[in-house]
Amino acid sequence: DKTEAADAAMQIDPALLFAFLFGSDQFKNYVGTLAVATAASVADSSKVSAIDSRRLQMRRCTRLAILLAERLKPWANEEYDLAKMLWATEATELAK
């Protein structure tokens, strides 16, 4: 029945969707909680408006920008070897 399939789609766990798309939560500091996952988590809520959804997206982008600035700080402070070492370590962890 199409109705049952639609109901099942609305009950997707956002963490499970994220893991399905990216393999794990390891990439959360790079992409945040995707709009699709946020929409899935609040789909049953009539209290979340389009404005609230946009606000959530803006907060996601802001958090990601702050995390990126932190990761770039060693390079900005001209600690190039430290930056490369940190990034290589993180890349190795993400590749697992």
Side-chain angles (χ1 to χ4, degrees), residues 4-81:
E4 289 175 16
D7 288 344
M10 297 303 273
Q11 298 173 5
I12 296 172
D13 177 13
L16 182 61
L17 176 64
F18 190 90
F20 177 75
L21 292 173
F22 294 99
S24 73
D25 282 340
Q26 290 178 331
F27 290 92
K28 194 166 188 167
N29 288 338
Y30 288 91
V31 296
T33 303
L34 300 177
V36 135
T38 301
S41 69
V42 298
D44 292 335
S45 174
S46 60
K47 296 179 182 178
V48 178
S49 67
I51 293 171
D52 292 332
S53 294
R54 276 188 237 117
R55 201 171 286 141
L56 287 170
Q57 178 67 7
M58 181 68 91
R59 287 177 55 195
R60 170 184 166 254
C61 291
T62 302
R63 277 193 297 270
L64 292 173
I66 291 167
L67 289 169
L68 178 60
E70 285 297 315
R71 281 196 294 281
L72 293 173
K73 195 176 284 187
W75 189 270
N77 291 336
E78 298 182 4
E79 298 175 35
Y80 304 119
D81 292 333

